[in-house]
Amino acid sequence: MTRDKLEGFSAQLLAVDPKDKQAITELRSSMEQVRRELKDASSCVENTLDLALRALQAVIDDDTDDAAYTIDSVIMAVAITAKYAEVDDDEASSIRELQKVIGELQSLLHPDAIEKTPKDQTPEVDVPQASTTIESTTTPVATSASAPDITSSDVATKNSATATESEASADEESDNLWLLSKDTDVELLGEFIEESLDRIVQGESSLLELESNSDDASQIAEIFRAFHTIKGTAGFLDLNAIQQLSHLAENLLDRAREGEIQVVGGYADLSLRSCDMLREMISGLSGAQPGTKLKKPANYDLLITHLTDPEAAGFGATTTESAIASKSEVRSEENTKDNGTVEGGASDEESEPKQNASNPDGESSIRVSTGRLDSLINMAGELVIAHSMVAQDDLVIDGQNPRLTKNVGHCGKIIRELQDLAMALRMVPLKGTFRKMQRLVRDLGRKANKSVRFITEGDETEIDRNMVEAINDPLVHMIRNALDHGLENFEEREKSGKDPIGTVKLRAYHSAGNVVIELHDDGRGLNREKIVAKAIERGVIESGRELTDREAFGLIFAAGLSTAEKVTNISGRGVGMDVVRSSIEKLNGRVEVNSQMGHGTTITLRLPLTMAISDSMLLGVGKERFLLPVPFISQTFRPEPGSISTVKGSGTVVSLRGQFLPLFRLHDLFNIANAQTDPHQGLVVLIEAEGRTCALLVDGIFGQQQVVIKSLGPMFGQVSGVSGGAILGDGRIGLILDALGLINLATNRSSDPLIEPARSTEIESETSV
Amino acid sequence: MTQLATATKRAGKYLTFVLAGEDYGLEILKVREIMGILDITTVPHTPDYVKGVVNIRGKVIPIVDLRLKFGIPETEYTEQTCIIVVYVGQVEVGIIVDRVSEVMDIKEEDIEDSPEFGDGVDTHTILGMSKAGGKVTILLDISKVLGNGEVTSLEADCL
């Protein structure tokens, strides 16, 4: 009962406006009532509530440094007290937690020990008061008589130590170490890490928005709140170094709030640096053992110095690397589209950028462990398979029992929907990735001295969580290229009549079962002739070969190819784009480049919606069934009579539209018996991966279906040509073919090079094989 | 003394099976399930003792023919041929055996170390030999049997 009431107070306090004195007074009286009626509560609980009531009174009397902050602390105190309201006095954990809360509240009611020295009287005055309150309470359980003693002495030491604590801990904390208190509650710490990292991300995004729109009060407030909350909780958990940093960062933002400064230029730099350092320190906490010393990041002290007095250190609104760079704008326009998210669908209306940035996730959500999520998704997948085994059973299919057939069908519908929902659970919006890119563009723009406008579109587009990490590096590389080589600098652009501020646009959307990500820059575009010339020079292709635009631009993905005249440390070495392509193809996706000289370049990534499911064609060879993912299939055809020839020595070629392609027989590569050996009776499938093509002979195609990819297990480590397995509708296993592996397998066993058409001088033509 | 100590560790329940006329035992805790022989999908380019994979309730499980692993010529499958699915670390593997016998509770006094046969024969895969039940049962350390580097790569690649 008490617990519920206290939790209710906590909730009400959350909703109250710090300036609404009347509401607070009313809440306080109700709380006081509950406090008076407390029976059988531990002395710690009573003590905490007393302090909470005093704190609220201070807010009402305008006697606090920061009303909002005080209320926050009271909310936390009441929430924790609620937890222990009905618990025995001698629970050690309750004493510890409440002790902390008590300490925090007391320090609030007296000046902050870190900022100023506490007034002489107040600590002593309170210590006896605290102990008298505790000692005078008669507690029913005999053993708990000792507990109050511990509590009072501990509270006393904590209290009188608040003044000396910062000095004591300063002693323990040498130049680059700080202590993680051994009383730290690891669970609370974990929550702190998660939530703070989230807040930093939000804050950073707001900072970037502010750079182009420095008067936006809501953004300033957003960042201020971020630092403020981190400071509060860090203080609560005795994370002194973090608290100190966030405190100074908060001060800077406070000056902006008051209109004294604008968060641009040097101030923006400082704020962003603070975000980075906080992020580093907080991530470093994860897994740390209480009682150990942690290293302060390099430049921590430097940043503190800069934040303490920015102007003295030379930071100001206009101090930047160059005047041009300060013109850098980073803006994100977001179109919300309905893409059927699990949370019930995003709104269809066009939302303004400001609105989005300050309240990106309106829907409620909960945290779920990823392990559980994955198990759920696996189970849903197995359910689909089990169902299809039932559905394909003869008893169901032959129609003898219509009721059974109907029921099985009904089950199927439900299961398919469940499967869709489970699949959707794996999806996360690209927003996080796009945000990272935003920061990257800003930093790169300043370094390269170019003014850049960065636009994102469709960042609520969702992609499989497992793919998010994998596309990060390719995107980073592509953006580096765009900024480094694509965009011209200020003068060049002016001279050619372009908008001096370059635009880089990152766009994502769903299309035909794929996630499409486009990166566009309006820079100088790709020089087709140069690329082809370089490729011929490097021996990647032979001269005189006719290339479509797509093929020509596709050459930039060849390893070692770079037409950059100078290599910067950002890019230019020619080892990037091939890695980009192979990373994307590893995800069963494709990359394409298009460009217009002088106007810009667009790189398009096409990725499957999820890595768990493969849209594949079912190929038959002998009795066996294989699955080949559709993205790697260029085309399929039945060879015309006379189009098959053998090249002297080894190998067969098939001609298609004037081109000769080496033909490989799958039954040969895999040693399968009873397969179709006559190409004219079988089917040729053209596969393509990493720019290489290969023609495969199979018996036939037995359909196209979406299958759940099952790993074959580590035992089959590197089976060439096979990347996994899938359970087909009839319960059999179909091996999923790996296009690149197959191409390698095939070419290693033949002497013919792949990309060039067969160059042999002697060709025997056969009418039948 | 050490012999006694190791013998105690080996006592326990074993699932016994027959392979080419010999009796073998597997620690029961490592056995996940036993089933009759199923259709096996072959996987190309694997050693001959790796017969392929099977679908067990939606999971893809690799299958090893124990005869071939031991270097014994393979034989036709009968209705008594079984697949025993065992745990090797975190991974499940199925082994094909001629016949499954029973679950035996073997005490330490019945277990002897396998005799040294000299360099030619590799006996580290054998936990010991049991004389319980009046017959000789060879107790296998299944992780070592399915090992030789495969187990280490099994663990390393496991999620």
Side-chain angles (χ1 to χ4, degrees):
Chain A
M1 261 288 274
T2 319
R3 180 184 178 148
D4 292 325
K5 287 210 187 116
L6 288 176
E7 280 175 348
F9 288 135
S10 200
Q12 284 175 296
L13 276 169
L14 260 174
V16 91
D17 178 355
K19 298 194 197 59
D20 188 349
K21 300 274 170 64
Q22 184 167 19
I24 300 180
T25 316
E26 278 170 22
L27 260 178
R28 189 186 172 284
S29 332
S30 316
M31 265 179 68
E32 208 171 27
Q33 183 78 2
V34 171
R35 164 71 184 89
R36 264 184 257 129
E37 289 168 359
L38 263 190
K39 288 191 250 278
D40 297 331
S42 76
S43 45
C44 281
V45 168
E46 293 178 354
N47 207 23
T48 316
L49 283 178
D50 285 331
L51 283 168
L53 288 168
R54 280 183 53 208
L56 283 181
Q57 187 63 47
V59 171
I60 296 170
D61 296 335
D62 273 327
D63 191 21
T64 54
D65 287 338
D66 185 333
Y69 187 38
T70 309
I71 294 189
D72 281 350
S73 309
V74 171
I75 293 172
M76 245 187 312
V78 173
I80 294 184
T81 313
K83 238 204 307 182
Y84 295 116
E86 285 152 18
V87 138
D88 240 5
D89 207 10
D90 34 16
E91 288 252 345
S93 52
S94 78
I95 294 177
R96 243 192 4 232
E97 273 202 68
L98 288 173
Q99 232 181 278
K100 273 208 218 98
V101 165
I102 290 170
E104 165 79 358
L105 282 174
Q106 273 172 329
S107 73
L108 264 184
L109 294 172
H110 315 292
D112 195 343
I114 293 186
E115 276 183 318
K116 327 172 197 148
T117 45
K119 304 197 188 92
D120 289 321
Q121 298 171 332
T122 27
E124 278 93 13
V125 167
D126 262 21
V127 166
Q129 192 176 15
S131 33
T132 23
T133 325
I134 292 168
E135 271 149 39
S136 64
T137 318
T138 42
T139 41
V141 184
T143 42
S144 62
S146 54
D149 283 330
I150 304 174
T151 327
S152 67
S153 56
D154 274 11
V155 169
T157 21
K158 180 151 183 124
N159 227 8
S160 54
T162 41
T164 48
E165 195 174 52
S166 49
E167 291 146 32
S169 40
D171 285 339
E172 286 173 326
E173 295 168 7
S174 59
D175 285 341
N176 52 2
L177 293 177
W178 61 286
L179 178 68
L180 180 63
S181 158
K182 62 172 159 35
D183 293 330
T184 311
D185 182 318
V186 179
E187 209 183 294
L188 277 178
L189 189 67
E191 279 175 32
F192 168 70
I193 295 174
E194 256 187 272
E195 288 168 13
S196 302
L197 288 176
D198 264 348
R199 292 215 168 83
I200 293 178
V201 168
Q202 309 267 33
E204 190 181 44
S205 173
S206 298
L207 274 169
L208 292 171
E209 293 266 346
L210 262 185
E211 275 200 301
S212 47
N213 199 349
S214 49
D215 292 322
D216 191 342
S218 62
Q219 298 287 25
I220 298 179
E222 176 79 34
I223 311 165
F224 179 85
R225 257 200 301 274
F227 286 137
H228 179 77
T229 318
I230 294 179
K231 174 188 96 169
T233 324
F236 188 76
L237 292 167
D238 280 336
L239 305 169
N240 297 325
I242 294 181
Q243 183 185 15
Q244 196 184 15
L245 177 57
S246 35
H247 179 71
L248 289 170
E250 176 197 42
N251 280 351
L252 191 65
L253 262 301
D254 199 23
R255 290 171 65 191
R257 243 187 359 173
E258 304 290 322
E260 190 191 317
I261 58 169
Q262 286 200 320
V263 189
V264 287
Y267 295 124
D269 281 341
L270 278 180
S271 306
L272 282 169
R273 268 170 68 195
S274 307
C275 283
D276 285 341
M277 185 146 302
L278 279 173
R279 185 187 280 131
E280 204 186 314
M281 293 175 78
I282 293 176
S283 323
L285 281 177
S286 127
Q289 292 295 331
T292 54
K293 297 216 174 82
L294 302 165
K295 253 190 120 179
K296 288 186 200 163
N299 301 325
Y300 173 83
D301 292 320
L302 187 67
L303 182 57
I304 296 284
T305 314
H306 287 171
L307 281 173
T308 315
D309 196 344
E311 288 74 22
F315 283 93
T318 51
T319 47
T320 51
E321 268 119 23
S322 85
I324 299 174
S326 71
K327 290 194 201 144
S328 251
E329 290 169 37
V330 177
R331 201 176 73 209
S332 67
E333 284 163 15
E334 286 150 16
N335 295 322
T336 44
K337 287 188 253 183
D338 191 336
N339 59 3
T341 56
V342 181
E343 285 98 31
S347 58
D348 283 326
E349 17 142 357
E350 211 81 353
S351 3
E352 292 182 89
K354 286 183 196 168
Q355 215 176 321
N356 266 337
S358 60
N359 184 18
D361 299 304
E363 326 94 359
S364 70
S365 57
I366 59 166
R367 288 186 190 280
V368 176
S369 92
T370 46
R372 259 189 212 167
L373 203 60
D374 284 338
S375 297
L376 180 67
I377 292 168
N378 275 340
M379 278 294 125
E382 297 203 14
L383 187 56
V384 170
I385 294 169
H387 169 80
S388 69
M389 281 170 66
V390 168
Q392 305 212 355
D393 194 303
D394 290 332
L395 280 176
V396 175
I397 293 188
D398 67 13
Q400 295 262 350
N401 193 338
R403 214 177 60 204
L404 177 63
T405 313
K406 193 175 87 157
N407 287 336
V408 170
H410 183 63
C411 275
K413 242 194 270 165
I414 299 176
I415 289 176
R416 265 192 297 282
E417 222 183 290
L418 188 68
Q419 169 76 310
D420 282 343
L421 282 173
M423 284 296 140
L425 284 177
R426 298 173 82 107
M427 313 288 268
V428 291
L430 279 167
K431 187 178 299 193
T433 310
F434 280 16
R435 270 210 187 118
K436 271 199 221 157
M437 300 301 140
Q438 223 177 2
R439 181 73 195 271
L440 178 70
V441 169
R442 178 204 182 267
D443 290 344
L444 281 178
R446 282 164 81 88
K447 246 194 239 165
N449 238 337
K450 297 181 180 164
S451 352
V452 189
R453 184 184 294 122
F454 185 62
I455 303 180
T456 60
E457 208 180 282
D459 71 350
E460 75 290 341
T461 309
E462 297 192 325
I463 139 182
D464 189 316
R465 142 173 348 107
N466 297 329
M467 290 204 270
V468 170
E469 278 215 38
I471 61 166
N472 193 63
D473 285 350
L475 276 179
V476 166
H477 189 85
M478 282 158 47
I479 288 183
R480 285 200 159 141
N481 265 355
L483 251 77
D484 219 30
H485 303 292
L487 290 182
E488 316 94 323
N489 62 32
F490 199 82
E491 287 93 17
E492 241 187 276
R493 288 182 71 96
E494 258 192 340
K495 246 191 277 171
S496 46
K498 279 178 163 177
D499 180 351
I501 302 184
T503 304
V504 170
K505 182 163 167 199
L506 195 52
R507 183 172 166 235
Y509 57 93
H510 284 155
S511 155
N514 285 330
V515 175
V516 184
I517 302 178
E518 285 175 8
L519 178 72
H520 173 79
D521 72 76
D522 64 353
R524 45 173 87 93
L526 295 174
N527 186 331
R528 193 200 144 119
E529 272 89 46
K530 251 202 195 167
I531 294 175
V532 174
K534 205 57 177 257
I536 294 176
E537 189 190 310
R538 289 281 161 101
V540 174
I541 54 163
E542 47 162 35
S543 61
R545 170 114 172 247
E546 287 282 324
L547 293 168
T548 63
D549 269 356
R550 185 165 158 258
E551 289 169 337
F553 291 132
L555 287 170
I556 65 171
F557 293 114
L561 207 81
S562 169
T563 52
E565 264 134 28
K566 43 184 188 61
V567 170
T568 68
N569 69 351
I570 301 181
S571 54
R573 277 177 235 275
V575 288
M577 288 315 263
D578 61 323
V579 175
V580 168
R581 178 167 66 182
S582 56
S583 310
I584 300 295
E585 291 199 347
K586 266 208 201 85
L587 301 172
N588 281 347
R590 311 309 311 253
V591 204
E592 229 179 76
V593 180
N594 225 318
S595 178
Q596 224 188 343
M597 187 122 144
H599 289 271
T601 312
T602 308
I603 305 183
T604 309
L605 303 178
R606 221 169 280 270
L607 299 161
L609 268 182
T610 163
M611 291 195 66
I613 293 198
S614 168
D615 193 15
S616 302
M617 292 218 134
L618 190 59
L619 307 172
V621 181
K623 268 194 317 139
E624 308 289 334
R625 296 284 170 266
F626 295 95
L627 294 159
L628 187 54
V630 167
F632 293 102
I633 301 180
S634 302
Q635 57 177 125
T636 61
F637 60 95
R638 175 147 291 163
E640 302 274 318
S643 59
I644 311 277
S645 330
T646 12
V647 172
K648 184 155 171 158
S650 59
T652 317
V653 290
V654 59
S655 83
L656 183 66
R657 286 197 294 273
Q659 248 208 323
F660 286 104
L661 302 156
L663 180 67
F664 298 95
R665 295 171 160 83
L666 206 52
H667 65 83
D668 198 24
L669 292 174
F670 285 168
N671 289 326
I672 300 170
N674 303 325
Q676 181 59 255
T677 48
D678 179 0
H680 296 283
Q681 301 293 337
L683 210 66
V684 176
V685 178
L686 220 57
I687 60 177
E688 190 208 323
E690 289 201 0
R692 297 155 66 194
T693 39
C694 157
L696 288 177
L697 176 67
V698 301
D699 290 9
I701 293 186
F702 291 86
Q704 183 177 340
Q705 58 179 112
Q706 299 204 322
V707 286
V708 177
I709 302 176
K710 299 268 175 186
S711 158
L712 288 180
M715 205 161 205
F716 297 99
Q718 297 302 327
V719 181
S720 327
V722 174
S723 68
I727 304 198
L728 304 172
D730 57 2
R732 290 164 64 184
I733 295 184
L735 294 176
I736 300 178
L737 298 174
D738 165 33
L740 187 62
L742 267 183
I743 295 175
N744 284 334
L745 189 63
T747 51
N748 287 342
R749 289 165 58 143
S750 93
S751 50
D752 278 336
L754 251 189
I755 302 182
E756 290 87 349
R759 272 184 290 171
S760 321
T761 46
E762 290 186 51
I763 300 182
E764 292 165 42
S765 175
E766 296 187 24
T767 43
S768 68
V769 175
Chain B
M1 272 300 113
T2 14
Q3 212 170 20
L4 203 62
T6 36
T8 338
K9 272 198 281 179
R10 297 180 290 188
K13 288 195 162 60
Y14 285 81
L15 172 71
T16 57
F17 59 90
V18 176
L19 198 69
E22 299 290 335
D23 293 284
Y24 295 88
L26 285 178
E27 297 159 272
I28 194 74
L29 291 173
K30 299 226 166 109
V31 175
R32 191 201 141 111
E33 68 186 287
I34 305 167
M35 58 218 314
I37 196 85
L38 299 169
D39 279 333
I40 303 177
T41 307
T42 30
V43 178
H45 306 300
T46 48
D48 58 348
Y49 55 83
V50 178
K51 296 305 264 184
V53 286
V54 295
N55 162 22
I56 299 182
R57 283 188 304 281
K59 252 176 127 175
V60 173
I61 310 276
I63 302 292
V64 166
D65 187 323
L66 215 52
R67 275 174 172 256
L68 294 175
K69 191 75 171 65
F70 285 166
I72 308 169
E74 66 180 316
T75 184
E76 283 245 347
Y77 299 148
T78 70
E79 3 169 89
Q80 296 192 310
T81 313
C82 285
I83 295 179
I84 306 178
V85 181
V86 293
Y87 288 112
V88 181
Q90 300 279 41
V91 175
E92 288 170 27
V93 179
I95 53 174
I96 302 178
V97 302
D98 294 353
R99 202 176 77 231
V100 168
S101 309
E102 56 171 332
V103 175
M104 280 173 70
D105 199 351
I106 304 184
K107 304 193 223 338
E108 51 244 47
E109 54 256 27
D110 286 330
I111 305 180
E112 307 248 344
D113 283 333
S114 51
E116 297 293 324
F117 286 111
D119 309 306
V121 184
D122 182 13
T123 51
H124 78 288
T125 52
I126 300 179
L127 288 172
M129 326 250 300
S130 149
K131 26 192 213 321
K135 52 184 182 177
V136 175
T137 309
I138 305 169
L139 306 177
L140 296 172
D141 183 344
I142 196 66
S143 4
K144 298 240 176 64
V145 171
L146 295 173
N148 5 306
E150 272 166 275
V151 178
T152 33
S153 64
L154 271 167
E155 295 290 355
D157 292 336
C158 256
L159 292 163

